[in-house]
Amino acid sequence: MSDKPLPARPGAGTLEARLAEILRVDHAGELGAVHIYQGQRAVLGAAKGKERLAAQLEEMEGHEAVHLARFDALLNQHGVRPTMMTPLWRLAGFALGAGTALMGEKAAHACTEAVESVIEKHYAGQVAELSEREPELAAELAKFRDEELAHRDLAVEEGARDAPGYALLSAVIQAGCRTAIRISEKV
């Protein structure tokens, strides 16, 4: 999804179809985020001397779980099916989290920064798009965006940009996130 809000699409049922895309992709994103943190915690959570980091990861995973639960409810409320990519996104999220954690604490933070940077822009575009047509949902998305920004900022403070191969790692993760967004809206 681009950084610019999409114009309203003409025709009957288009608002419902677009809302379904938004709910489906946001559900998928939060599901992926939960699994990224689970993967990171699987590697770093029990590591000696990493108790502070484990607590941070657990707290951020908790935020994502709240977001996911809300999107579960919204999918049910609006009769929208989740993406058919759900099993793959679970696996990919966990693998991304565990893989970056195996690369080290700073790489795990670089993963968080990369993902949350894409998600922040994604949510900002949706907030702008929905602000007049679905103001209550737009307000919820703005709140979620603020929490994602807090995760990103914490990751930067914790040394994300000092990760080995940071620029490449960040670029690959961001490209993957943008691709997953496009796929999850439709599939």
Side-chain angles (χ1 to χ4, degrees):
M1 188 163 162
S2 73
D3 295 346
K4 297 180 198 173
L6 297 174
R9 298 174 183 171
T14 56
L15 177 57
E16 292 81 13
R18 179 62 185 137
L19 184 59
E21 288 177 352
I22 288 170
L23 296 177
R24 183 172 25 261
V25 72
D26 290 354
H27 177 268
E30 298 299 346
L31 179 109
V34 165
H35 285 82
I36 289 170
Y37 287 122
Q38 287 177 350
Q40 289 177 341
R41 286 192 326 120
V43 172
L44 297 169
K48 190 170 182 143
K50 301 291 183 188
E51 294 80 11
R52 186 179 68 83
L53 175 59
Q56 288 174 341
L57 294 171
E58 185 174 12
E59 181 179 349
M60 291 187 290
E61 181 185 331
H63 296 158
E64 305 298 355
V66 168
H67 300 173
L68 178 59
R70 180 62 182 137
F71 284 114
D72 278 336
L74 287 167
L75 287 179
N76 288 326
Q77 177 185 337
H78 291 277
V80 175
R81 65 162 176 78
T83 179
M84 291 186 289
M85 303 299 289
T86 295
L88 180 60
W89 293 162
R90 282 187 178 118
L91 179 63
F94 189 89
L96 178 60
T100 55
L102 286 168
M103 294 170 63
E105 186 176 329
K106 299 214 185 293
H109 289 306
C111 174
T112 297
E113 181 196 8
V115 170
E116 301 297 19
S117 293
V118 171
I119 299 310
E120 184 276 326
K121 290 176 183 162
H122 173 74
Y123 273 148
Q126 289 179 341
V127 168
E129 178 182 353
L130 295 172
S131 62
E132 290 184 24
R133 295 185 290 173
E134 294 283 337
E136 289 178 19
L137 180 57
E140 277 189 279
L141 297 179
K143 178 182 178 288
F144 292 170
R145 187 192 80 206
D146 291 346
E147 290 173 358
E148 308 297 359
L149 283 171
H151 297 170
R152 183 201 64 195
D153 293 347
L154 176 63
V156 170
E157 289 171 20
E158 293 289 332
R161 295 177 182 165
D162 297 329
Y166 166 78
L168 178 61
L169 181 63
S170 181
V172 168
I173 292 170
Q174 287 185 14
C177 288
R178 287 189 294 272
T179 300
I181 287 169
R182 286 191 298 278
I183 292 169
S184 294
E185 281 181 331
K186 305 295 182 190
V187 178

